[in-house]
Amino acid sequence: MTEHAGRLAVVVKGWPRLSETFIAQELVALEDAGLGLEIWSLRHPTDTKTHPLHDRLTAPVRYLPEYLKDEPGRVLRSWQAARRLPGFAAAWRALRRDYARDRTPNRLRRFGQACVLACEMPVDAPGLYAHFLHTPSSVARYTAILRGLPWAFSAHAKDIWTSPAWELQEKLDPKSFGAAFGATCTGFGAAHLQALADTPSRINLVYHGLDLRRFPAPPDRPLRQPGDPVGLVSVGRLVEKKGFDRLIEAFALLPPDLDWHWTHIGGGALKDKLRRQAQTRGVAERITWRGACDQPEVIAAMRAADLFVLPSRVAANGDRDGLPNVLMEAASQKLAILSTPVSAIPEFIESGTHGLLSDDAPETLAQAITDLARDPARTAGMAEAAYQRLHTEFQMQPGIATLVTRLRTMMQDTQPRAMVQAAR
């Protein structure tokens, strides 16, 4: 099939972001498959580091006004130009329906960003593709209506579980200028979205998987002895759904004769609170807080550790993990895994076979850490099983092939333009 001359507009929350390696991996793979991309970011970067993957992406990157008040001239010019677009009347009606149910400044900001995007993206852009089903997809949807273009999304975790059902349904309904298709990275999330869609086939299960060509072969791991020191490592933002507060409580319950040290990698809003908790519980001297790290640093920490721990849980607002890529990264280095059976984690880790899934009660976590530390042979066997499963079932390439096919089909679609014309 001849590739469309224009670049697909990719809408993301922020670019680049260390915590979203899976997006960078996917976009690089889409470029390698021949798709032309242009990145449109809702936010400027806040991380001081980048991953090597970010440097591989050749797509131009543009930044929309993060807050409309920051660039009033740009927003005003776009607003005036957008009102002359053929889809403005339909987009304005969509905004009014949405705002009646969500009277927030955020809703108006997304429409303003869409006006900027609709007026500044190239005239030959064949469509839009948004990562995350909440705010990036809102901007993509309004833009698509304004320009009469098809759009699609990739959904992950928080965007599925904290968005209201009415909004998800409209973003899945072609009669409401919904997406041509959606991809999501877990069977758990796919089943939820398929139940809301007019046609279940509109949603594709596309595991992120790993491009194992980017990862070194696992290190030679001599079998630990039961009494040897055990190095624990976790990678994840310091936010409620990652469960690190309960892990710190678990550390305080570990037996005195267990020689352990925990390394944490990642930033997050709870950094100061969790450090104070570690001091209070008397475990601070056994913890190293690395902060945000690039992927080579993450892999080096995994290669040096004995156990990867991710005690995910459902946050009070419903937010939860999907299938964290860091679990697969740990498996790529034959690092044993302790996690929880939240969301889609059991889709990769069958407890007792590929790792251990515990509930997140501190007492249970402490017992699981102790059991794994004192049974090195069992722990190594589960790490080997996860490594083999990663290679046979969770490589990146099959998912990318599905995405490329769906995106190419979408970019040839003329129906959205006809719908906009009919709605004028």
Side-chain angles (χ1 to χ4, degrees):
M1 180 183 295
T2 301
E3 195 60 72
H4 197 290
R7 293 176 179 268
L8 179 70
V10 180
V11 183
V12 296
K13 290 190 300 182
W15 184 270
R17 302 185 80 182
L18 285 176
S19 62
E20 295 175 356
T21 316
F22 57 93
I23 295 179
Q25 173 184 265
E26 178 193 288
L27 297 184
V28 168
L30 291 178
E31 278 195 336
D32 289 346
L35 292 183
L37 309 176
E38 184 171 42
I39 310 300
W40 290 85
S41 177
L42 307 185
R43 301 174 186 168
H44 287 268
T46 56
D47 296 319
T48 58
K49 297 182 178 182
T50 61
H51 293 306
L53 268 174
H54 293 126
D55 298 330
R56 285 185 54 192
L57 194 75
T58 64
V61 181
R62 301 284 302 277
Y63 292 92
L64 295 169
E66 186 167 346
Y67 295 96
L68 303 185
K69 63 180 177 59
D70 294 342
E71 298 184 68
R74 184 183 179 194
V75 173
L76 179 60
R77 288 191 301 272
S78 297
W79 165 256
Q80 292 170 337
R83 294 180 68 181
R84 297 191 292 270
L85 291 173
F88 181 81
W92 185 249
R93 285 195 295 271
L95 171 65
R96 290 180 64 183
R97 287 194 304 271
D98 293 345
Y99 189 70
R101 296 167 290 189
D102 177 30
R103 291 184 176 274
T104 62
N106 180 64
R107 179 67 57 181
L108 300 178
R109 177 166 32 138
R110 300 314 170 198
F111 190 80
Q113 290 173 317
C115 289
V116 175
L117 177 52
C119 295
E120 293 187 0
M121 63 193 291
V123 294
D124 63 348
L128 300 103
Y129 176 50
H131 260 285
F132 291 99
L133 191 45
H134 49 3
T135 48
S137 284
S138 293
V139 174
R141 176 173 172 256
Y142 293 142
T143 304
I145 301 172
L146 286 165
R147 288 282 298 265
L149 293 172
W151 71 283
F153 66 81
S154 182
H156 303 292
K158 179 179 181 179
D159 50 329
I160 298 174
W161 304 109
T162 63
S163 296
W166 66 262
E167 185 165 10
L168 295 178
Q169 287 173 324
E170 292 200 356
K171 286 175 177 175
L172 294 169
D173 186 352
K175 296 177 182 177
S176 300
F177 300 99
F181 76 93
T184 189
C185 53
T186 70
F188 188 67
H192 181 71
L193 293 179
Q194 286 168 348
L196 295 173
D198 64 311
T199 305
S201 61
R202 195 177 297 279
I203 303 300
N204 284 97
L205 170 58
V206 178
Y207 286 118
H208 296 308
L210 288 189
D211 181 358
L212 292 171
R213 297 169 297 183
R214 296 191 295 105
F215 293 85
D220 181 20
R221 293 184 178 274
L223 190 64
R224 290 178 54 255
Q225 296 304 305
D228 287 348
V230 58
L232 314 172
V233 65
S234 298
V235 182
R237 290 178 298 127
L238 296 170
V239 295
E240 182 187 0
K241 70 178 179 180
K242 297 297 183 179
F244 294 128
D245 55 338
R246 296 182 184 177
L247 183 59
I248 291 172
E249 291 298 313
F251 290 151
L253 301 175
L254 291 174
D257 64 332
L258 184 65
D259 187 359
W260 62 274
H261 189 90
W262 180 53
T263 298
H264 176 270
I265 293 176
L270 299 180
K271 176 181 69 174
D272 294 338
K273 180 179 179 181
L274 293 177
R275 292 190 182 195
R276 288 194 300 269
Q277 180 187 358
Q279 288 283 356
T280 300
R281 301 300 289 149
V283 296
E285 292 184 358
R286 291 179 177 266
I287 297 174
T288 298
W289 304 94
R290 292 279 303 276
C293 293
D294 61 29
Q295 194 161 57
E297 293 171 318
V298 170
I299 296 303
M302 289 178 171
R303 292 169 69 86
D306 301 301
L307 180 64
F308 185 85
V309 187
L310 187 65
S312 300
R313 73 171 188 263
V314 179
N317 67 351
D319 189 14
R320 68 201 74 182
D321 276 328
L323 175 52
N325 263 35
V326 289
L327 295 177
M328 289 177 276
E329 292 172 6
S332 79
Q333 301 307 301
K334 291 190 180 180
L335 178 59
I337 294 168
L338 169 62
S339 191
T340 54
V342 168
S343 190
I345 291 173
E347 294 177 35
F348 179 57
I349 301 295
E350 180 182 341
S351 187
T353 301
H354 311 101
L356 197 59
L357 300 183
S358 162
D359 67 49
D360 65 346
E363 298 82 4
T364 312
L365 287 170
Q367 188 62 57
I369 292 169
T370 302
D371 291 345
L372 291 170
R374 289 179 170 167
D375 193 350
R378 179 184 181 222
T379 302
M382 291 190 292
E384 176 66 32
Y387 176 80
Q388 295 300 328
R389 189 174 200 196
L390 172 67
H391 278 255
T392 57
E393 300 179 45
F394 285 87
Q395 292 206 47
M396 174 195 70
Q397 288 77 9
I400 292 300
T402 298
L403 273 180
V404 168
T405 298
R406 300 275 338 226
L407 288 169
R408 282 178 170 158
T409 300
M410 180 194 78
M411 289 188 291
Q412 305 301 321
D413 186 10
T414 60
Q415 183 179 12
R417 195 175 300 277
M419 288 177 63
V420 166
Q421 294 294 334
R424 291 180 67 181

